[in-house]
Amino acid sequence: MGRHSYNLLQHQHTNVRRHRNGSFGANTRNATPVIETPTMTDYLSLQTRLAQVHQEHLLKFWHELTPDERADLVRDIEELNLDEIKQYFDRATVSMNENGIKLDDRLQPMPEGKVISIARTPKEQLHAYRDEGLRQISNGHVAVLLMAGGQGTRLGFDHPKGMYDVGLQSRKSLFRIQAERILKLEELAQEANEKRGNITWYIMTSEHTVQPTYDYFVANNFFGLKPEDVLLFEQGSLPCFEYDGRIILDEKHRVARAPDGNGGIYRAMRRQGILEDMQKRGVLYLHAHSVDNILIKVADPVFIGYCVHEKADCAAKVVEKAAPNEPVGVVAIVDGKYQVVEYSEISAKTAEMRNSDGRLTFSAGNICNHFFSSSFLQDIGSKFEQELKLHVAKKKIPFVDNAGKRLTPDKPNGIKIEKFVFDVFEFAQKFVAMEVLRDEEFSALKNADVAGKDCPSTARSDLHRLHKKYIETAGGIVHGDICEISPFITYAGENLASQVEGKSFTSPVYLRDTRDPLQGHL
């Protein structure tokens, strides 16, 4: 049901090469296909099909449209799976009616044996997991899926969020930082196993971010990665509905749509050939995460190695909740199945429950950081994707009134439907989790600085604090708080002693590599 599920960018020129399956790679121009002018026969055929699902109102302005506008409308309608429309709305309505229902009586915490804590696991065990992860990387079995469809609107940034610079000394964007961590990890894997394996980087964009994202990667020479190992593909979309189930017209000739959420990756990966590409490359394991965590350990070998050792289909990194009322979802068991339970779905009494050691009973805070085996993803794509929960939000959705005038309502007038990436947990035969340290692995970038939380200032200071910790753990001393280390020097604090042991550094500290661009030349 996504607008660009197969025929990406049908009515736009693009510098992005589209594979026959719909994903994006290197750079040949793709001509816009010719769309024939719709005929009266097309109109009658569409009207018949739409009437069968009570959506014939989508054609009510047909006779006022230009030939090009009619072609746009036909394309929009053709891209809807009309057989699924009623099913989607019916399922969405059930979901909407369940909103607000507390799950306390059906809820259990994750068993201890299914969660490993980085802080409470012997170093030797973590090293063994890391060695396994590096071995898998050397063998070319690991890929990364980056969820990067969002724009930096809330940051006052009118570009894809991955292009955002939080104000580090290096002036590196989120995309660049993550690309350089991938490169460093490939090097570490080669040093450990005397074999270089490439980490394929799949990047899920949106309709509005695909071209600027691609252009940015080209302008920066893919940050040193091989262009053929960086594949962009588009998130799908779902139609917006009125409360009675009728699809909303955004314009006389355009259907109102909204992105289908990060859970749309499963359908998009199947339809746009990403699952097929993984099979061809021999990718066995995938690390999926969102773009806006500046501390992300991309393709973390400890996480990969742990999941491989446990023969997990699916896994999540979690952080311990800071407080009972922290508004984050927790990974738990509901009716015997793993899922993420939103803060609003449990009572304050349940949220405040504690174990004998004083830790919160429901403490596994979800941070959108996941592992999948490729075989599990194949199963999701072929069997379970259509069973994913639909999450509904009542929204103010611009619409065209009966006179053909586009209006923006002042109160919610319809629903937008999303799928969430974590809703596949329940289908896993073997699910595990890894509790990581928040100050080492999670700092979200959601808001402008005025919010004072999950903003550029906090992301910057969290990275500075972590890198200062790396230097001091390796035997150096840092005076002051501003401290940055290039990913080319260390991935996660390893191999720093030779450069910092016994040395004193005064803020601002920036340990850079010869491969790092000069400041101001990014």
Side-chain angles (χ1 to χ4, degrees):
M1 289 179 63
R3 172 169 296 179
H4 299 303
S5 55
Y6 263 109
N7 298 314
L8 296 173
L9 303 177
Q10 286 181 2
H11 51 286
Q12 299 176 35
H13 281 288
T14 177
N15 291 320
V16 184
R17 183 186 69 193
R18 183 175 67 80
H19 297 301
R20 64 174 178 81
N21 50 39
S23 59
F24 287 102
N27 52 359
T28 53
R29 179 170 291 277
N30 196 34
T32 304
V34 175
I35 304 296
E36 293 184 7
T37 303
T39 65
M40 183 53 67
T41 303
D42 295 322
Y43 169 78
L44 294 173
S45 173
L46 275 178
Q47 188 179 49
T48 300
R49 290 167 56 206
L50 290 169
Q52 291 171 351
V53 290
H54 309 294
Q55 302 291 346
E56 62 269 26
H57 66 284
L58 296 177
L59 296 176
K60 64 183 174 182
F61 298 109
W62 180 270
H63 301 294
E64 301 175 26
L65 303 181
T66 67
D68 285 348
E69 289 172 337
R70 289 179 179 177
D72 283 341
L73 181 59
V74 170
R75 185 182 299 109
D76 275 8
I77 293 171
E78 291 290 351
E79 288 169 359
L80 298 172
N81 185 331
L82 296 179
D83 294 332
E84 283 185 338
I85 292 296
K86 188 175 187 309
Q87 177 194 5
Y88 263 85
F89 181 76
D90 289 346
R91 288 174 57 208
T93 304
V94 170
S95 174
M96 187 163 54
N97 292 336
E98 289 177 348
N99 285 351
I101 295 177
K102 301 297 183 184
L103 299 176
D104 301 54
D105 295 340
R106 300 157 54 194
L107 197 63
Q108 292 177 291
M110 290 191 66
E112 283 193 17
K114 295 289 187 178
V115 188
I116 185 175
S117 167
I118 290 291
R120 295 186 290 277
T121 300
K123 288 279 194 293
E124 305 76 41
Q125 186 67 60
L126 295 179
H127 287 317
Y129 292 145
R130 181 178 183 271
D131 290 345
E132 177 63 31
L134 291 175
R135 185 158 49 249
Q136 296 297 338
I137 289 167
S138 286
N139 289 328
H141 292 164
V142 176
V144 171
L145 192 152
L146 178 64
M147 290 171 269
Q151 292 179 295
T153 310
R154 285 164 65 182
L155 301 168
F157 184 66
D158 203 19
H159 302 284
K161 192 186 280 190
M163 293 169 59
Y164 192 76
D165 160 19
V166 303
L168 298 174
Q169 297 171 86
S170 64
R171 312 307 301 184
K172 291 178 181 179
S173 66
L174 296 170
F175 278 144
R176 181 178 286 277
I177 291 168
Q178 292 171 31
E180 292 177 358
R181 287 177 186 158
I182 289 174
L183 285 166
K184 181 61 176 178
L185 196 50
E186 290 177 346
E187 292 173 6
L188 290 172
Q190 183 175 18
E191 290 169 11
N193 298 288
E194 298 183 350
K195 182 180 179 183
R196 180 81 179 215
N198 295 321
I199 296 172
T200 306
W201 202 11
Y202 300 110
I203 302 177
M204 185 177 79
T205 66
S206 66
E207 174 186 0
H208 303 292
T209 61
V210 59
Q211 193 67 53
T213 298
Y214 177 78
D215 292 342
Y216 182 67
F217 271 74
V218 169
N220 287 278
N221 197 28
F222 290 82
F223 308 107
L225 295 165
K226 295 179 180 178
E228 60 268 27
D229 291 335
V230 180
L231 276 78
L232 277 60
F233 67 106
E234 277 190 57
Q235 178 178 12
S237 63
L238 290 170
C240 302
F241 293 93
E242 295 179 40
Y243 295 129
D244 64 2
R246 299 201 318 163
I247 295 171
I248 294 172
L249 276 175
D250 181 62
E251 300 176 54
K252 292 180 181 180
H253 64 293
R254 299 311 299 260
V255 170
R257 295 173 176 269
D260 60 1
N262 55 24
I265 65 170
Y266 306 110
R267 177 170 290 208
M269 290 176 76
R270 175 173 57 84
R271 287 189 167 186
Q272 297 183 34
I274 300 302
L275 295 180
E276 181 184 350
D277 187 79
M278 288 173 63
Q279 282 189 316
K280 287 179 179 176
R281 292 173 184 262
V283 171
L284 301 180
Y285 311 110
L286 188 77
H287 181 211
H289 62 86
S290 56
V291 72
D292 55 8
N293 177 8
I294 197 169
L295 301 185
I296 188 73
K297 289 184 176 178
V298 186
D300 176 15
V302 178
F303 188 38
I304 300 291
Y306 166 63
C307 294
V308 171
H309 178 268
E310 291 294 316
K311 297 181 172 59
D313 298 312
C314 177
K317 279 192 178 184
V318 298
V319 296
E320 187 170 1
K321 281 185 67 173
N325 61 350
E326 183 182 9
V328 298
V330 294
V331 181
I333 297 175
V334 179
D335 297 334
K337 295 180 178 179
Y338 289 98
Q339 72 175 62
V340 173
V341 178
E342 298 298 340
Y343 174 66
S344 60
E345 293 177 312
I346 56 176
S347 67
K349 182 179 179 181
T350 297
E352 291 165 2
M353 287 173 57
R354 293 184 182 273
N355 301 333
S356 57
D357 60 3
R359 298 175 64 239
L360 290 171
T361 301
F362 295 99
S363 64
N366 179 53
I367 56 174
C368 194
N369 191 323
H370 308 305
F371 164 94
F372 303 106
S373 72
S374 60
S375 58
F376 178 66
L377 288 173
Q378 295 288 348
D379 285 345
I380 295 298
S382 62
K383 301 177 192 174
F384 301 121
E385 192 277 331
Q386 291 186 341
E387 298 178 34
L388 283 185
K389 293 177 186 171
L390 299 177
H391 300 264
V392 177
K394 296 180 180 180
K395 295 287 187 179
K396 302 172 187 175
I397 303 169
F399 67 99
V400 175
D401 67 11
N402 288 328
K405 183 178 180 182
R406 190 174 191 268
L407 303 175
T408 300
D410 55 9
K411 61 182 180 180
N413 64 315
I415 61 172
K416 292 183 177 181
I417 302 172
E418 286 187 303
K419 303 171 188 175
F420 293 162
V421 63
F422 51 70
D423 282 332
V424 297
F425 291 178
E426 66 173 281
F427 303 114
Q429 294 295 311
K430 179 71 181 287
F431 177 85
V432 295
M434 174 177 279
E435 183 185 279
V436 299
L437 297 172
R438 188 185 296 242
D439 65 353
E440 291 188 359
E441 297 207 33
F442 184 58
S443 179
L445 180 63
K446 304 288 186 186
N447 310 308
D449 271 335
V450 66
K453 176 185 174 185
D454 296 339
C455 59
S457 293
T458 56
R460 190 168 59 245
S461 63
D462 287 344
L463 184 135
H464 287 159
R465 191 181 306 112
L466 177 61
H467 287 192
K468 179 178 178 178
K469 179 179 174 180
Y470 285 165
I471 290 176
E472 293 181 340
T473 300
I477 298 173
V478 177
H479 301 283
D481 297 322
I482 300 175
C483 182
E484 181 183 358
I485 308 172
S486 167
F488 288 124
I489 291 179
T490 188
Y491 172 82
E494 76 291 329
N495 303 332
L496 276 177
S498 62
Q499 295 191 47
V500 305
E501 191 171 17
K503 295 181 181 179
S504 180
F505 300 87
T506 301
S507 175
V509 179
Y510 176 32
L511 302 186
R512 64 186 297 272
D513 185 82
T514 54
R515 290 171 289 179
D516 284 304
L518 295 172
Q519 295 176 41
H521 291 78
L522 300 185

